[in-house]
């Protein structure tokens, strides 16, 4: 079993706000992240798949294919976007776009495409908000 | 003469839009950066001052002081902010918040404080939008 | 389950010396690290907690709280300190401040505070002595 | 149990080519990597061993020894070499030098030396082809 | 005047060999770099242009255009190539592909395209062979 | 003219103390850096020489030679040392080992060796105390 990982970067805006709370409570809990104009980050998305290298190619998966999947499933939706305003998961206050929730949402976007391809399994999605903070999701495990 | 540099990071949203143009032209010139919801970056601000080390302290400037100046003059205005909506320089479409203009604006914010302190001179302000792109301003030089 | 990680940096001095050995043996085993004047590093402390994101905040833990815990429990004791001379764990030759032992000691400092908070579990402490060398501790596992 | 990791860098050339295929198929599958003149990378080798710190030294293993093992077993064979032309594993088209296969081969080179030393176990070998792509092997696990 | 910089990465093979010398002398002077099978690097190309930001766009140059120029003039020729075998400058032993000469050659490739565009001037080309070694060329200055 | 740069890392301890001042003043000015037990850093030394590439080798200087000069003149004195206690420049409180003064001292150590070799000129010495703070010295310029 080999764990093969690829990184990509996307730039997005977000803010933290719980619609069920008054403004004061949002500001108290979320601090500067509660600014509803939004602020942004260069997020790093790190995707790991696991499997046996194909003896014919030496590939667990074709890295060009993995790059396309990451771009089509995640970057097309998140890059140069305001997560709270323009994405299915986070729009209309449905879900707060914390690094934790972005990692889960990226997994949910990637998993069907990796599974449909057969072979390698998605095992880990890591999202860095900055070099100092990151969240990792491993599916149900 | 010693050139002493300190870095700090701020997270901000921005978009590119020229109010004098129709939407089509903005989208053609600025591409994905024309999304008026904004997107964001972890910007790195790199500030260089030059002078002789004080023989009593060994300091060109006190780095704690330089950190405070950078936080008070630049980060307090830009960090966790939407540059197009919440800053003096860029609000109301006055100036487009490109990396180039952010570097000039940061210089203009820092220069009076460094000059007022006497001694060391501000010689360079560099702003990284991402690790791959940065703009540098050296004042009138 | 989400694994949420935060980094912090501390600068400290240390040396390696086993009091039960003669100087020659210390120098033979520990080489340049046996210099009792000490030398130093910018250590990176990387702390991972695991749990479910709170549906109300989207947080596994509040990252501001985690930063405070790391500063209070570890950085307050280690940053700008000589580990062999000024820390409970390593003073008086009780324990040699290798990267391995610093990782275990940081875990032991952090674990009660994370446990007392309830909710998320401490799952991993990683300490980088340099970008080329790091030690990781996962508690009893 | 502590997991202790050390990194080293090697510079090598490689290309991807399956001798059983016609040139067209190689070019279609491997793209620019099929250029038989070779191209190259600064690979980062990251080796993790696990064990209990020796109470006498504080070491899981002596990092100077681990460095020597990495240099003797892997870097001496791969650094400043053309992997397809000059290495036992990859010469004569036996195995395609993908990042996946380099990670497995490095494990196979390191494992006997770590095992012979007794004590700590080799638990993970990670190879970065670039900062954006890496493969990890954990032995039979 | 603003100095705007963009980075790109290319992976290439090279070796050092002076055709006028016997093999022994090449090996003595160039050491492991004299291996004629080649070895390789992930080179980072860093290109700086200088000019005034256009008041209409805020751009010194359009960074999309600069990326295209770097890809067309340099990466198309060097990326995934063996510099000694496949490039105009370095083929047939004409010039030894040291980091110094690669920086000069990249400048010579970029300069006509930047000049033809009018406006901003090419002021600096920096090439990193590894994070530890880089060469910088500023044209005739 | 080509500017060729090489980096090296050294780990050292230091503290800031002006012997002419009472303890209170030292603590007030230097804060946590006044802890006389010392603390430490992984310093990065970045040395730039300038000259024309030799047409026979393609080298401004031989990078192996530059590495040896940096190790012999700077690292042998500073690496794994306590700067305040074990170095000619900083011992006995002669000079405070700030990043500024370390950069000047490294220049003074390197300059005679580079000059004696003829050819390339030393043009810049940069010392990073952390990735966030660095000082640069260009000789008398």
């Amino acid at each position: 079993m080999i764990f093969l990982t690829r990184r990509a970067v996307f730039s997005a805006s977000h803010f933290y706000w719980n619609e069920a709370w008054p403004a004061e409570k949002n500001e108290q809990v979320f601090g500067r992240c509660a600014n509803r104009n939004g602020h942004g980050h260069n997020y790093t998305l790190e995707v790991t798949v696991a499997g046996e290298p194909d003896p014919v190619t030496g590939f667990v998966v074709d890295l060009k294919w993995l790059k396309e999947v990451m771009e089509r499933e995640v970057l097309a939706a998140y890059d140069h976007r305001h997560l709270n305003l323009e994405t299915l998961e986070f729009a209309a206050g449905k879900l707060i776009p914390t690094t934790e929730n972005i990692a889960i949402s990226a997994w949910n976007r990637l998993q069907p495409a990796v599974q449909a391809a057969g072979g390698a399994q998605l095992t880990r999605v890591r999202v860095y908000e900055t070099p100092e903070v990151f969240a990792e999701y491993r599916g149900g495990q």
Side-chain angles (χ1 to χ4, degrees), chain A residues 15-28:
Chain A
F15 61 84
Y16 295 169
W17 195 267
N18 184 328
E19 298 283 354
W21 288 346
E24 294 71 19
K25 173 110 191 211
N26 275 294
E27 279 149 21
Q28 177 202 325

Side-chain angles (χ1 to χ4, degrees), chain A residues 4-76:
Chain A
L4 184 66
T5 301
R6 176 157 210 133
R7 288 186 182 161
V9 175
F10 62 93
S11 296
S13 283
H14 73 159
F15 61 84
Y16 295 169
W17 195 267
N18 184 328
E19 298 283 354
W21 288 346
E24 294 71 19
K25 173 110 191 211
N26 275 294
E27 279 149 21
Q28 177 202 325
V29 172
F30 294 127
R32 295 177 307 164
C33 295
N35 174 359
R36 300 188 80 174
N37 290 316
H39 67 280
H41 300 285
N42 307 319
Y43 290 95
T44 298
L45 171 69
E46 198 177 278
V47 176
T48 302
V49 296
E52 300 295 334
D54 183 329
V56 174
T57 59
F59 291 172
V60 167
V61 300
D62 184 337
L63 285 162
K64 292 189 298 295
W65 171 82
L66 183 55
K67 186 180 184 186
E68 287 162 12
V69 169
M70 290 164 68
E71 289 177 349
R72 188 180 65 235
E73 304 298 337
V74 182
L75 273 64

